[in-house]
Amino acid sequence: MTDQHRDVFGGVDTHTDSHHAAVVDRLGRPLADARFPTTSQGYHALLDWLRSHGTVRAVGVEGTGSYGTQLTRVLAAAGLTVFDINRPDRRIRHQHGKSDPIDAYAAAEAVAAGRAATIPKPHAGAAEALRLLHTARMSAVKARTQAINQIRSHLVTVPDTLRDQLRDLPAGDLITACARLRPATDLTGPVAAAKFTLRRLARRYQQLDLEITKYDAELATLATQAAPGLLAVYGVGPETAARLLAAVGDTPERLHSEAAFAHLCGAAPIPASSGRRDRHRLNRGGNRSANAALYRIAMVRMQHDARTRDYVTRRTAQGLQKKDIIRCLKRYIAREIYRALTCTITTETPLQSTV
């Protein structure tokens, strides 16, 4: 019989249709592994199977933000400690091979050895809703950009009688003019076909523009509910707030310091010293969407905030290039955003404590 007083650690390699689970003891020795379907019954069967081998101290799950999201919810609801596991790097895979049991045991061993320390996001609150809406908004923005690009591309080859009417119009007037075109019933002629195509593309652009406006309104409402102080930060709009909240999740206490938040956003320098050379390099990792949000805030402040413009002038006089100044600004902004996410903030002048 299984010793129920034995401490065990679990690991799960997640996939679309099935999850492969493994169990090791406190020394990392393999005990058992099994495959379970990605259904509600399968998740609970996996939980019962883990507990049948002893007292489960923690479980490492690959892909807690994708294939393992629902399993992570079930395990967390059962009171188990869950860690997010990164896939093994190429060096380890070359040494040990690649299979579902191998990956599952590797996840369990990482938890047992204490190498796993990342607490997964719950994916069950306002931040998850913001992520879903923001993802849909991004696809709508890409489709809208594609529509206007196609219109301008078609204008290069349409007959001159139509091209001369539309070629010099700005984007807004061009969309309105194309949406009002009246093509003939017979589309065999190039002019009629061009009018029909341009009209459809313009109306698609207008529909997508209306859809994006609705997304922005919903993002503003959800962002205000999730983090009221975040939108009060200078340069933070609904779309930017959605990026930052989606990166942090509904549990900002997972980030133990503002330095950890800066690393999450890829805004903290990485040591790159060697021998007599002491230097840091740009962090190219982290959440790139959150990094893009910090960059957008920095751009807004550099254009419209007087204190930030003074800071840029002073740092330029010290010999820093623009890209280096932006890196510094992003680090300062990350500090301010972290305070807004973890406590109530006041609408003070930005960069007050750092410039």
Side-chain angles (χ1 to χ4, degrees):
M1 296 179 61
T2 303
D3 183 6
Q4 295 299 322
H5 298 288
R6 176 176 54 187
D7 292 339
V8 298
F9 299 86
V12 184
D13 182 30
T14 60
H15 299 280
T16 305
D17 300 321
S18 64
H19 295 336
H20 202 101
V23 178
V24 300
D25 60 14
R26 62 169 55 252
L27 298 179
R29 293 174 296 193
L31 298 178
D33 66 276
R35 184 183 298 272
F36 299 89
T38 55
T39 61
S40 179
Q41 294 81 3
Y43 299 140
H44 289 86
L46 189 154
L47 174 62
D48 295 337
W49 179 82
L50 289 174
R51 286 175 168 171
S52 68
H53 291 85
T55 302
V56 182
R57 293 302 180 185
V59 182
V61 179
E62 284 191 18
T64 58
S66 55
Y67 296 132
T69 300
Q70 187 58 36
L71 175 62
T72 301
R73 292 171 179 157
V74 172
L75 296 177
L80 298 183
T81 302
V82 182
F83 293 102
D84 187 15
I85 304 296
N86 294 326
R87 53 178 288 184
D89 57 28
R90 292 183 178 180
R91 180 182 61 83
I92 296 178
R93 292 196 173 192
H94 282 309
Q95 292 176 350
H96 302 284
K98 169 70 175 72
S99 69
D100 293 346
I102 290 176
D103 290 345
Y105 276 119
E109 290 168 4
V111 177
R115 296 193 305 270
T118 303
I119 301 175
K121 291 182 286 189
H123 295 281
E128 177 65 8
L130 283 165
R131 186 189 67 82
L132 294 173
L133 290 176
H134 182 258
T135 301
R137 182 190 183 276
M138 288 179 60
S139 66
V141 170
K142 291 180 179 179
R144 183 182 64 176
T145 302
Q146 186 180 32
I148 187 64
N149 288 341
Q150 287 182 341
I151 290 174
R152 295 191 182 280
S153 176
H154 287 317
L155 288 179
V156 177
T157 58
V158 298
D160 291 339
T161 54
L162 182 59
R163 182 184 181 189
D164 294 339
Q165 301 175 17
L166 303 173
R167 63 184 301 176
D168 296 327
L169 295 177
D173 295 339
L174 176 62
I175 294 298
T176 302
C178 290
R180 292 176 178 175
L181 291 174
R182 295 294 183 266
T185 305
D186 185 9
L187 300 181
T188 56
V191 175
K195 287 184 177 180
F196 180 85
T197 303
L198 293 175
R199 180 186 181 186
R200 291 294 184 181
L201 288 172
R203 293 193 173 184
R204 180 192 303 174
Y205 182 97
Q206 291 175 337
Q207 292 175 355
L208 290 170
D209 193 63
L210 179 61
E211 181 180 343
I212 293 169
T213 301
K214 293 180 179 180
Y215 280 130
D216 288 337
E218 294 297 335
L219 288 175
T221 301
L222 289 175
T224 302
Q225 295 175 356
L230 184 58
L231 290 176
V233 178
Y234 192 94
V236 177
E239 197 270 343
T240 305
R243 286 176 179 266
L244 295 169
L245 288 170
V248 174
D250 294 288
T251 52
E253 60 272 11
R254 293 167 50 246
L255 304 173
H256 53 81
S257 66
E258 55 91 11
F261 175 71
H263 275 284
L264 173 66
C265 298
I270 301 298
S273 303
S274 178
R276 299 180 180 178
R277 189 174 185 182
D278 186 10
R279 71 182 186 92
H280 291 74
R281 67 168 177 83
L282 176 66
N283 184 359
R284 298 179 179 85
N287 188 297
R288 304 318 296 172
S289 180
N291 188 277
L294 297 182
Y295 179 84
R296 182 173 300 180
I297 297 171
M299 292 295 101
V300 170
R301 294 185 176 187
M302 290 173 66
Q303 294 178 11
H304 303 288
D305 181 56
R307 287 181 58 83
T308 304
R309 290 199 300 267
D310 294 340
Y311 173 79
V312 173
T313 302
R314 184 169 72 252
R315 298 292 278 175
T316 302
Q318 295 174 356
L320 266 69
Q321 298 181 358
K322 183 178 179 180
K323 62 180 181 180
D324 298 321
I325 297 174
I326 293 175
R327 292 174 192 169
C328 296
L329 285 173
K330 286 162 65 175
R331 183 63 179 86
Y332 295 153
I333 294 169
R335 183 177 304 160
E336 187 175 355
I337 294 296
Y338 175 77
R339 294 170 181 169
L341 290 172
T342 55
C343 62
T344 302
I345 65 169
T346 58
T347 55
E348 296 176 345
T349 306
L351 304 181
Q352 181 174 359
S353 61
T354 56
V355 180

